Amino acid sequence: IAGITQAPTSQILAAGRRMTLRCTQDMRHNAMYWYRQDLGLGLRLIHYSNTAGTTGKGEVPDGYSVSRANTDDFPLTLASAVPSQTSVYFCASSDSRGARAGRPGELFFGEGSRLTVL
Amino acid sequence: AQSVTQLDSHVSVSEGTPVLLRCNYSSSYSPSLFWYVQHPNKGLQLLLKYTSAATLVKGINGFEAEFKKSETSFHLTKPSAHMSDAAEYFCVVSAYDNYGQNFVFGPGTRLSVLP
């Protein structure tokens, strides 16, 4: 049972370079999310997608882009990395189709991608 | 709008003593509430969730939490701490709005368990 797979697990990147963090889920969840985790700030939402073909901005979207071409994949791209994007990035998914009716889904997380921008 | 406050950034207990991790929330909607645990260099794992059924929720590894609407609280407790409970704990509030189901995380509480 894989759940959510993230790649790479760790990366050191020069400032100005382009980087894509990959995320794949095998649970057929409709919703997917990207968070960044920084010490003392908890997890902050970067972008989300409620269904294939749609995306939305979270709390800290600047400098990041996402796409959702199909249900399973939700890559996060840093077009031109900056040192402030040094962080641990978590991809998550949930089945939120029952949320409107009072049956909220829970988040399932990948193991994270540790990114260092120099 | 939703927000979560975790009142303690760090809690330290002795093995075998009770654990109390505090969480207060604010939500414009009828919220769902979750507690997640994160062990070092790992992803987050669900401990328990409240979704408007019983106000006392039991989770994995002996943890439980009580939803108190009048106090807007969802504190996490465990009767007896184990060394393996040492981790970071996140309280999360969730609601469904025009943009779908959203999740807002608290800043986390680091639990240390002393032998």
Side-chain angles (χ1 to χ4, degrees):
Chain A
I1 299 176
I4 293 187
T5 303
Q6 290 186 234
T9 56
S10 181
Q11 182 75 45
I12 298 174
L13 187 67
R17 296 296 296 269
R18 180 183 180 90
M19 179 71 193
T20 295
L21 304 180
R22 300 184 298 280
C23 175
T24 300
Q25 56 121 344
D26 63 2
M27 297 173 283
R28 308 302 292 172
H29 286 168
N30 64 296
M32 296 188 75
Y33 310 80
W34 273 105
Y35 292 89
R36 60 177 290 172
Q37 182 177 27
D38 303 287
L39 192 64
L41 297 176
L43 276 76
R44 293 180 293 168
L45 182 65
I46 305 171
H47 285 286
Y48 66 94
S49 168
N50 286 323
T51 188
T54 69
T55 63
K57 295 181 179 180
E59 181 184 356
V60 288
D62 294 343
Y64 305 95
S65 64
V66 292
S67 61
R68 186 91 183 274
N70 57 61
T71 297
D72 299 341
D73 300 300
F74 192 45
L76 176 73
T77 297
L78 290 67
S80 179
V82 296
S84 62
Q85 293 178 310
T86 294
S87 187
V88 181
Y89 291 86
F90 286 98
C91 181
S93 72
S94 78
D95 181 355
S96 66
R97 291 169 294 177
R100 185 196 293 266
R103 299 186 305 277
E106 64 197 60
L107 287 169
F108 290 80
F109 284 88
E111 292 288 292
S113 296
R114 183 175 297 274
L115 183 66
T116 302
V117 183
L118 302 177
Chain B
Q2 302 179 102
S3 65
V4 178
T5 302
Q6 291 184 246
L7 297 163
D8 305 294
S9 60
H10 183 212
V11 170
S12 185
V13 301
S14 297
E15 189 175 23
T17 64
V19 175
L20 170 64
L21 304 183
R22 296 182 292 169
C23 171
N24 287 91
Y25 70 92
S26 172
S27 178
S28 304
Y29 305 91
S30 296
S32 298
L33 293 154
F34 304 79
W35 275 99
Y36 281 83
V37 60
Q38 183 183 31
H39 289 94
N41 300 312
K42 293 291 187 182
L44 282 76
Q45 179 186 16
L46 180 70
L47 274 179
L48 49 81
K49 67 179 179 182
Y50 165 76
T51 59
S52 77
T55 56
L56 182 62
V57 181
K58 294 187 183 299
I60 62 172
N61 299 334
F63 285 95
E64 63 181 38
E66 185 171 8
F67 174 71
K68 292 186 177 181
K69 185 175 181 178
S70 61
E71 299 176 10
T72 60
S73 69
F74 190 57
H75 302 332
L76 181 70
T77 61
K78 183 173 180 177
S80 176
H82 190 273
M83 295 297 289
S84 61
D85 294 328
E88 189 88 15
Y89 291 80
F90 294 95
C91 182
V92 182
V93 63
S94 177
Y96 186 89
D97 59 20
N98 291 336
Y99 302 97
Q101 183 178 358
N102 63 76
F103 299 84
V104 175
F105 284 74
T109 297
R110 181 164 60 92
L111 176 65
S112 297
V113 182
L114 307 175

